């Protein structure tokens, strides 16, 4: 049952007088659940509880935290299909997508549990003492990763499960030993409350301290701002727009003690089409990309919003085929009227730029909150002169840039902002002649794809989901995969510390049997 209240630790609260409802974009009407916004006092209470919980939770073993994460996954499963029904009612997304996203969420939690049990993520490094070294004796130094402190996670509008209440950021922070306060996304607050109830049950079952998790509602910015400015908060995780991520980043920098904001933001995910590939299979590439552009109404952060190629018969065949194929795709429902309205506004802005030619634009009436897809094209010279065309249009939209020659192609890539992904479509070993293009693209992105599509983010240790600004606020880290835990830890050294007082990870006998670097050699043996 959905109460519409806030979880402050393991208790439900609803003392505020501000109430809002979520919206069903598919039915174009409000849902029945009344959601109460958290008061400033409730925000402060959640942060205080998190700070108290950190003192205990940060010292828990990897196995104890792993049992917590696995219990969360089990409790989410126990919510059954009711969770999927609420998810669909708040997002307009189909049940198949909801089921798949739930599976991804469970998989992330269990992957982090395995990672914790392995233990090597702490990157234990030991340099033993050499008291007889001349002229200066060498001290004993031992280093490992430790938790930062309480983390605020902002739920993402486009992933009500996988990037929200128990999603990647929350799972990574909990795995690191950091209590989490989720600022639930107002578009799917009821979904968030259901997942929060599962986390609280898991925390109680596994003996976690009260305050290890809280879930707060707010239809505006107040609660989020209060959390970021609260002195007990030590880091922020965010997935969303450039405007939202940058606002949080700037706000965190104004604190007496500035804190890191790990924000994954906008991206147009450039796709470079090389000539031989277009000569050999322009039509099949176009069909693949028509599907990728419109997948999920284009509401993926890895949507291919920019396609770049050299003017040729092959590129003409591609654009003609893409225009034809994309018209055949049935428009899909977007997540919320606000997102649909922003899509149409930004699409119209792009269509009205000088030098733009429309390849395809669905103009017939579509249902309310549905996105009519579009593809436009422009010359390389016009693209370089107009920064407006470089901006993301969040939805089923893509821009094809037609370059006169290789030098212009390289210049277009060099003038892009930082991106999550870049893709090269190539045949017949032609990459040998385009090494500078590859190098330019690599400098702009976090992940480079060969002969594929950027949509679809595999959750595994080798995934890098991030990139140079403005794709993310720190290109050194990923928001997907177990390595995302590194955002919420800091390295810490013990000097000449008694062995019996060291953490298990750094003791001579290596009781956890983890892989460590000892005097420059990786080993799981005792010292």
């Amino acid at each position: 049952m959905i109460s519409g209240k806030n979880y402050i630790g393991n208790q439900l609260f609803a003392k505020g007088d501000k109430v809002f409802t979520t919206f069903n974009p598919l039915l174009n009407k409000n849902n029945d659940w009344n959601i109460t916004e958290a008061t400033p006092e409730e925000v402060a209470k959640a942060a205080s509880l998190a700070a108290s919980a950190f003192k205990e939770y940060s010292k828990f073993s990897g196995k104890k935290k792993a049992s917590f994460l696995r219990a969360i996954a089990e409790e989410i499963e126990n919510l059954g299909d009711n969770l999927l029904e609420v998810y669909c009612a708040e997002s307009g997304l189909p049940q198949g997508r909801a089921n798949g996203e739930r599976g991804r969420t469970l998989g992330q939690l269990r992957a982090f549990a395995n990672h914790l049990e392995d233990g090597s993520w702490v990157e234990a490094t030991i340099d033993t003492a050499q008291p007889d070294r001349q002229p200066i004796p060498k001290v004993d130094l031992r280093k490992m990763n430790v938790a930062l402190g309480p983390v605020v996670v902002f739920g993402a509008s486009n992933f009500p499960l996988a990037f929200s209440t128990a999603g990647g950021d929350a799972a990574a922070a909990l795995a690191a030993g950091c209590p989490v306060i989720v600022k639930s996304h107002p578009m799917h607050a009821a979904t968030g409350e259901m997942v929060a109830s599962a986390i609280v049950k898991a925390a109680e079952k596994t003996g976690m301290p009260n305050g290890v998790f809280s879930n707060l509602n707010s239809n505006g910015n107040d609660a989020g701002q209060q959390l970021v400015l609260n002195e007990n908060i030590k880091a922020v995780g965010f997935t969303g727009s450039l405007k939202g991520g940058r606002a949080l980043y700037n706000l965190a920098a104004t604190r007496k003690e500035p804190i890191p904001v790990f924000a994954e933001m906008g991206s147009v995910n450039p796709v470079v089409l090389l000539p031989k590939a277009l000569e050999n299979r322009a039509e099949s590439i176009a069909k693949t990309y028509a599907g990728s552009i419109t997948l999920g109404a284009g509401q993926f952060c890895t949507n291919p919003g920019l396609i770049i190629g050299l003017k040729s018969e092959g590129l003409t065949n591609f654009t003609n085929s893409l225009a034809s194929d994309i018209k055949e795709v049935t428009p899909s429902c977007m997540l919320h009227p606000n997102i649909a309205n922003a899509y149409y506004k930004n699409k119209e802005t792009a269509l009205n730029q000088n030098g733009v030619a429309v390849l395809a634009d669905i103009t017939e009436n579509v249902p309310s909150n549905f996105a009519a897809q579009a593809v436009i094209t422009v010359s390389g010279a016009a693209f370089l002169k107009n920064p407006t065309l470089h901006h993301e249009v969040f939805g089923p939209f893509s821009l094809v840039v037609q370059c006169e020659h290789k030098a212009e192609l390289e210049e277009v890539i060099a003038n892009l902002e930082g991106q999550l992904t870049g893709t090269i479509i190539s045949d017949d070993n032609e990459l040998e002649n385009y090494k500078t293009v590859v190098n330019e693209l690599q400098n702009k992105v976090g992940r480079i794809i060969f002969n594929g599509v950027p949509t679809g983010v595999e959750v595994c240790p080798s995934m890098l989901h991030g990139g140079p600004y403005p794709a993310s606020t720190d290109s050194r880290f990923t928001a997907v995969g177990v390595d995302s835990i590194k955002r919420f830890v800091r390295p810490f050294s013990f000097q000449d510390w008694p062995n019996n007082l060291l953490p298990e990870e750094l003791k001579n006998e290596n009781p956890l049997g983890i892989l460590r670097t000892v005097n420059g050699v990786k080993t799981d043996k005792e010292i």
Side-chain angles (χ1 to χ4, degrees), residues 14 23 25 90 94 96 100 140 250 258 268-269 279 281 295 302 313 327 331 388 406 419 426 444 450 453 482:
F23 192 83
E90 292 190 313
D140 183 281
N250 292 345
V268 296
N269 305 296
E279 181 182 328
R281 50 192 178 95
L295 183 67
T302 53
E313 182 180 350
K327 289 177 182 177
T388 299
K406 183 179 173 183
Q419 309 291 333
S426 170
K444 294 291 182 178
F450 183 73
V453 294
V482 292

Side-chain angles (χ1 to χ4, degrees), residues 379-449:
S379 69
F383 181 82
L384 287 167
K385 290 177 183 176
N386 190 348
T388 299
L389 292 172
H390 300 204
H391 297 163
E392 178 186 24
V393 177
F394 187 72
F397 173 92
S398 196
L399 166 64
V400 180
V401 178
Q402 303 195 37
C403 300
E404 293 289 343
H405 42 67
K406 183 179 173 183
E408 188 173 70
L409 173 63
E410 293 175 3
E411 188 179 2
V412 165
I413 297 171
N415 279 273
L416 296 176
E417 294 181 316
Q419 309 291 333
L420 293 171
T421 75
T423 302
I424 300 281
I425 305 295
S426 170
D427 273 2
D428 297 338
N429 299 316
E430 61 183 324
L431 275 183
E432 287 296 318
N433 299 320
Y434 290 89
K435 289 181 178 179
T436 52
V437 170
V438 175
N439 290 339
E440 287 285 1
L441 189 59
Q442 185 176 354
N443 289 333
K444 294 291 182 178
V445 306
R447 172 168 56 109
I448 195 165
I449 300 148

Side-chain angles (χ1 to χ4, degrees), residues 171-339:
L174 289 172
C178 301
V180 167
I181 302 173
V182 170
K183 192 294 188 174
S184 187
H185 199 285
M187 290 183 190
H188 45 78
T191 305
E193 186 190 326
M194 291 187 71
V195 176
S197 72
I199 298 173
V200 169
K201 285 182 182 178
E204 292 174 335
K205 283 185 176 181
T206 54
M208 298 297 116
N210 185 27
V212 73
F213 175 82
S214 292
N215 184 70
L216 305 179
N217 295 304
S218 176
N219 197 33
N221 299 324
D222 290 351
Q225 292 174 350
Q226 292 160 18
L227 284 166
V228 173
L229 292 174
N230 189 285
E231 63 181 5
N232 291 308
I233 303 304
K234 302 302 179 184
V236 174
F238 173 84
T239 299
S241 68
L242 173 59
K243 180 181 178 181
R246 187 57 199 247
L248 294 175
Y249 185 87
N250 292 345
L251 186 65
T254 68
R255 292 173 35 135
K256 181 179 179 181
E257 176 201 355
I259 57 173
V261 174
F262 300 104
E264 183 262 290
M265 301 176 290
S267 184
V268 296
N269 305 296
V271 178
V272 178
L273 306 175
L274 296 185
K276 285 287 182 68
L278 290 177
E279 181 182 328
N280 295 336
R281 50 192 178 95
E283 291 80 7
S284 66
I285 296 169
K287 184 174 288 294
T288 297
Y289 269 84
S292 182
I293 291 165
T294 57
L295 183 67
Q299 298 171 118
F300 291 105
C301 46
T302 53
N303 191 60
L306 182 66
I307 299 171
I308 313 166
L310 297 174
K311 286 184 178 179
S312 64
E313 182 180 350
L315 184 58
T316 299
N317 290 339
F318 169 82
T319 56
N320 289 340
S321 296
L322 181 62
S324 176
D325 291 338
I326 208 161
K327 289 177 182 177
E328 298 300 315
V329 179
T330 302
S332 300
C333 185
M334 299 197 85
L335 292 157
H336 193 273
N338 292 347
I339 291 178

